[in-house]
Amino acid sequence: MALLSQLGSPIDLRKLKINELPKLAQELRAFIIDIVATKEGHLGASLGVVELTIALHYVFNTPNDNLIWDVGHQAYGHKILTGRKEIFETNRQLNGISGFPKRSESEYDHFGTGHSSTSISAILGMAIASKLKGDSNRNHIAVIGDASIASGMAFEGLNHAGVTDANILIVLNDNAIGIDPSVGALKRYLTNVKKGTAKDENIFECLNFNYSGPIDGHDLDTLIKEFTRLKAIPGPKLLHVITTKGKGLKKAEENQVVYHAPGKFDSETGELAPKSTENLPPKYQDVFGYTLLELAEKNEKIIGITPAMPTGSSMKYMMHAFPNRAFDVGIAEQHAVTLAAGMATEGLIPFCNIYSTFLQRAYDQVIHDVALQNLPVIFCLDRAGFVGEDGATHHGIYDIAYLRCIPNLIIFTPINEEELRNMMYTAQKGLKNPIAIRYPRGSGTTQDWKKPFQKINIGESLELRKGSDIAILSIGPIGNTITEIISELDHNTTIGHYNMRFVKPLDESLLKNIFNNYGYIITVEDGCKIGGFGSSILEFANNHNFKNTIKIFGIEDSFFEHGTTQELYQLAKIDNTTIKKHLQKLIETL
């Protein structure tokens, strides 16, 4: 690390000779590999842009020149070169640096990212602002991948930028893959451009961009020459660079999906560290994937839809078995929702699987295209609740609140894999309304989960344990924690526990019984408190004039950063210890 160790900022980088930069690229790539091999994180994307990162900071005057990394998976090299080398081992850890660019973390992080396709709009806003302030010489660069540029918001930004004279440079990092391989007509077009077989008119030139490329994104001399040339050209520009995701680690180049975020691995060989899966329950995503396939084999009306997450959602199982009935629509959540709505009008049964945090991007479509028309789309919201190290941009903690206010929409949260499976079975048998089924990242609690299907009655909750004074109403898998806590308490006969399952519609009959028989009501959820499940119980109590004492355990009105899920539960005060102490004190007052 002879060169890298000398660099504290891009100012030091610009003092190096051009012929020293390939050696720096080797060192930077090795540094990323060494850290991620033990600390985990997003590997392949950052390895693929090492040369691009060096060239950008070498040619442009960052941080005065603005630089945005779309999504941010690929920004590790950027972080290391911009003063965070010594603390990079804290990446994605509690109180450490974020895995994504973050404005509060560094003056070099000009715009926070995490979700895709925001960079063009943001960089255009910055460029227009600079011009209005009389600073026309400042450069504004956005780096965006071929998967992200196919998203609707990216096209909106391109469409606007093309009719301005804003001094922006869009760097199209084309590696033919996002997390999973890129899909769609634009991917085919870019492939033809690379082959030289595209039609005469260039799509970006037609949008009034000064287009150049494609060039080798791993050739530092070529990159530096082209960036230097483009620096002197005013107006909107787009440089098409070709890179290899995982570049420099053979295993990562060969298996780009797995090595997007591979977990721990051997930094020398790239071999994944063995994971003990013995006696572990399956992941919720796999229960979804295998159950969907099982149902689709018997019900030909079932359709699968995912916006660019076939592996992460486990939609890949149905896509492999029924390629004509399961669709990866790319990074296009809005399109995914309305596509599902259109299919529902024709009597098909669409399972639209979208991560909770990404459904935020299609909120209008959920209301306008699905719920308003009362179309029975089945939304499966993976990664609900805290997701851990990906942090604030990816936590799925708002879905209950933002969905609960929508008329016609059913909201169901299973306590375990068996309930997820049974609700999917129930939904495909025919519902009169759309439904959102939310479940968390990671493994469940049940080994023997693949049992015969049982229909779930909509709006029906379950009494898990009868008590006398304190009723705990839990929603979702956090109910398993409540069961553990109760079993550890002395004098626990006073505590009743109810698996509410449905946030909407509420089981009002059971709730009336609970409020009439318990003095203390405690609600527990892994979502935001404002507008969440606990709020619905308060509304119920108010509407029926109940005066019981109600305590809500949920996530406070604050953005929670990255850390392990357990650490985040502790910060949010919805962890085992906090709830147990509250219950113990309450029992002592009875």
Side-chain angles (χ1 to χ4, degrees), residues 287-562:
V287 173
F288 162 82
Y290 288 125
T291 300
L292 182 65
L293 176 58
E294 185 179 350
L295 293 170
E297 288 171 341
K298 297 176 182 178
N299 187 342
E300 63 182 16
K301 291 184 178 181
I302 288 177
I303 301 294
I305 300 171
T306 179
M309 290 294 176
T311 299
S313 70
S314 293
M315 184 72 75
K316 62 182 181 181
Y317 302 127
M318 184 178 175
M319 291 175 67
H320 177 74
F322 299 106
N324 294 327
R325 290 167 52 198
F327 304 91
D328 175 4
V329 300
I331 303 175
E333 291 85 3
Q334 294 176 321
H335 167 60
V337 171
T338 305
L339 177 72
M343 290 179 170
T345 66
E346 294 297 312
L348 296 181
I349 303 170
F351 280 78
C352 187
N353 188 302
I354 303 181
Y355 287 11
S356 169
T357 186
F358 296 146
L359 188 64
Q360 295 164 188
R361 296 160 63 94
Y363 192 54
D364 178 63
Q365 286 70 27
V366 173
I367 297 174
H368 183 272
D369 298 337
V370 177
L372 182 62
Q373 304 183 88
N374 204 20
L375 296 171
V377 173
I378 303 164
F379 294 106
C380 294
L381 308 189
D382 198 339
R383 272 60 167 182
F386 282 130
V387 297
E389 290 83 357
D390 279 344
T393 59
H394 283 62
H395 296 319
I397 59 179
Y398 308 110
D399 50 31
I400 291 176
Y402 72 67
L403 293 175
R404 195 171 68 83
C405 59
I406 302 175
N408 292 333
L409 186 65
I410 300 166
I411 306 172
F412 179 83
T413 302
I415 195 171
N416 56 30
E417 305 92 315
E418 192 175 348
E419 285 195 343
L420 169 59
R421 180 174 162 80
N422 286 335
M423 193 66 248
M424 291 174 66
Y425 166 74
T426 301
Q428 59 87 42
K429 285 182 70 67
L431 293 176
K432 295 179 181 179
N433 307 89
I435 184 170
I437 307 170
R438 68 185 300 270
Y439 52 92
R441 181 181 192 177
S443 297
T445 59
T446 311
Q447 289 276 6
D448 184 22
W449 59 273
K450 199 170 184 180
K451 295 178 179 178
F453 291 116
Q454 292 183 352
K455 185 179 178 181
I456 292 176
N457 294 323
I458 300 300
E460 183 177 88
S461 302
L462 299 176
E463 181 181 75
L464 301 182
R465 173 192 177 94
K466 195 169 188 64
S468 57
D469 299 283
I470 304 165
I472 302 178
L473 315 182
S474 64
I475 195 81
I478 199 169
N480 298 302
T481 301
I482 300 303
T483 298
E484 292 175 12
I485 291 171
I486 294 173
S487 69
E488 295 167 359
L489 287 169
D490 296 328
H491 311 294
N492 59 16
T493 56
T494 59
I495 302 174
H497 182 200
Y498 296 84
N499 172 24
M500 297 305 293
R501 305 199 294 187
F502 289 91
V503 177
K504 187 178 182 181
L506 289 171
D507 188 340
E508 295 206 358
S509 176
L510 179 62
L511 282 173
K512 288 176 182 176
N513 183 274
I514 292 170
F515 273 82
N516 283 323
N517 287 282
Y518 293 88
Y520 299 88
I521 310 296
I522 298 172
T523 71
V524 185
E525 61 193 297
D526 62 352
C528 62
K529 288 172 70 171
I530 295 178
F533 168 67
S535 291
S536 74
I537 300 302
L538 284 175
E539 291 163 12
F540 169 84
N542 181 66
N543 290 339
H544 294 277
N545 203 30
F546 285 113
K547 306 298 183 183
N548 310 56
T549 301
I550 301 173
K551 165 70 175 177
I552 297 175
F553 280 98
I555 298 170
E556 296 291 350
D557 186 24
S558 177
F559 287 113
F560 284 76
E561 299 298 339
H562 46 279

